[in-house]
Amino acid sequence: MYIYPKKYDCIVIGGGHAGCEAALICARLNLDTLLITISVDTIGAMSCNPAIGGLAKGHLVKEVDIFGGEMARNIDETGLQFKILNKSKGPAVWSSRAQADMPAYRLRMKHLLEHQEHLDVKQANVDEIVVEDGRIKGVITHIGNEFLCDALIIASGTFLKGKIFIGLNEFHAGRAWEPPSDKLSESLAKAGLLIGRLKTGTTPRLDARTIDFDALEPQMGDEEPTPFSFKTENFNPPNYPCYLAYTNEKTHKVIHSNLDKSPLYSGMIHGIGTRYCPSIEDKVVKFPDRERHQIFLEPQDANSNEIYADGLNTSLDYEVQVAYLRTIRGLENVEIIRPGYAIEYDFVNPIQLKHTLETKKVKGLFLAGQINGTSGYEEAAAQGMVAGINAAMYLLEKPPFVLGRDEAYTGVMIDDLVTKGVKEPYRIFTSRAEYRLLLREDNTHLRLAKKSYKYGLLDKIHYEKIQEHTQKLNETINHLKKTYVMPTIEFNKKLESIKTKPIKAKTSISKLIARPEVDYKTLETIVSDLPQLDKTITQHVEIEVKYEGYINLQKQQIEKFKKMEGIIIPGDFNYNIVAGLSAEIKTRLKEVMPKTLGQAMRIPGMTPVAIQIISIFLHKKNVQSKPA
């Protein structure tokens, strides 16, 4: 065996979205870092859909951005279309999404990693982790090379014993036509980690030359696009169209009549897939009353003819894929460039992780991305960011970096994973966040800048700019609350001219802005002395004023939440000595070993009575409440 002479502070396994963010964070915190990937050509590759962001996922991208990650800037530089989803609804559920130029996205990320100081990149397949006395020591590759390190981040995606299915055909691969990692999960199991099996899938890629786009509905991006990164300036991206198509009765008939050729329904696939992104087979079978299903035809890059058929995840036989596609209007003569497929892979149950994403079994071993049972680029990137920061904090012997449910969507996701575990691929949603009106996309950099700066992830110049923005926002809101208008005939006529009700008494400007039909820009036309604001601050002012009551209510809820999170449960707490707890509850508590009473409350199956029993026991034993 060849032992590589250079010892690294941290090694990252995997060059996907989690691995890229983890490696960059560690290197940018001046740690000697090594990224090992099966193929250096696919660093940063988008293996499924050609998009970044989406519902709640856009929040994660912006959180990665404020903490020094790269995904937001990468998509800002390489996006083909930008759009804010749910704009007709409240700001709590606004979510940014961008179509990506997939090769450009990959190549820019690869370039960044290869030119990052303190970061080496090597191509290899890791077979084994080296553990001594419960602590990570290094890795061994498939050709017998050993690389030493003090911290290890595994971001292996779908490569652990990956198996691909197309119809009744199956073959081992970590991604289409790429080799899997067959031995690493065995090494993790040997280290004491529980391994499970999950499944995901992707869609056929179509030849644009064989699509009748005139028969389809074009879907454009925003006319005034918004960047993902708070650092992006002079933003002027292209606006490539996507197209909307629909399945029909003929499509569904073809699928129904060929379910015997589906590995999903023939019993070949044993891994559990996500219910939030079902295959077209599942949609047709489980929703028989639906006459049609939406399909978004999306460009994969600016210089090729490949079109991604979003909404048609499938593992059906190649011949069947062609047959049902050609029943769809606009696709009557379509040709497939790459078929859709399902992939089954190993994952590690995330209840075996701390909130830092370090394993409880092995010190210095961190896991990020699909290995933790998640799906999606954005979920992976956010975990890579957290794992990278915490690997650095571990090595530098500094306090761990933990985001709470009240602080960030990343905190919601990680708490869900380590507290509840997963039985199917996990996907983030705005509905998972209890305090989503506070955890909006638009205020991400404002609410998280202080924490980012504290951990050395945000430079002083940008931190001070954000502080100035926050100060301007607060000053403007205070000014609007203290500035009044009188119910004169003249002013009420002005109010009627902007289609809002007249006032009957002295009224603050903030009360007028709080009206649903009134915005700041319109109010400027009838109130002469309003502060001149840029577009971003104007939006923040409107949201804070219009939703002030709801925001204050959520702040009160957070205070109650923090009280429960402040009741610490000792790490070595013995639940067997607590009288009154059922055997099932004790088993769940011992699996998760919650750090706080608040986390214990969120364990599936936990009852209010059990929480009360634990609380009384802790009180009797004089376990003091303190900040978690």
Side-chain angles (χ1 to χ4, degrees), residues 118-173:
H118 303 291
L119 178 59
D120 293 342
V121 176
K122 296 189 184 298
Q123 180 168 297
N125 197 335
V126 175
D127 280 354
E128 187 178 343
I129 64 170
V130 180
V131 181
E132 292 180 11
D133 300 322
R135 191 180 296 271
I136 201 74
K137 290 297 180 181
V139 300
I140 298 173
T141 71
H142 68 302
I143 58 173
N145 292 341
E146 182 173 358
F147 294 90
L148 304 178
C149 64
D150 291 318
L152 173 65
I153 301 170
I154 301 179
S156 50
T158 59
F159 281 75
L160 295 183
K161 291 190 176 179
K163 185 186 288 187
I164 282 178
F165 300 85
I166 302 174
L168 302 182
N169 301 292
E170 62 177 78
F171 55 94
H172 292 273

Side-chain angles (χ1 to χ4, degrees), residues 165 167-168 199-200 259-273 278-283 285-286 313-316 342 344:
F165 300 85
L168 302 182
K199 168 257 175 188
T200 188
L259 289 177
D260 59 325
K261 298 176 183 176
S262 165
L264 203 59
Y265 285 89
S266 66
M268 292 174 66
I269 293 177
H270 303 289
I272 300 171
S279 66
I280 189 62
E281 300 97 285
D282 267 345
K283 289 179 184 178
V285 171
K286 294 179 180 178
N313 288 355
T314 187
S315 58
L316 283 164
E344 206 177 50

Side-chain angles (χ1 to χ4, degrees), residues 23-34:
L24 286 170
I25 287 284
C26 288
R28 288 169 178 174
L29 289 172
N30 300 320
L31 299 175
D32 283 332
T33 305
L34 170 64

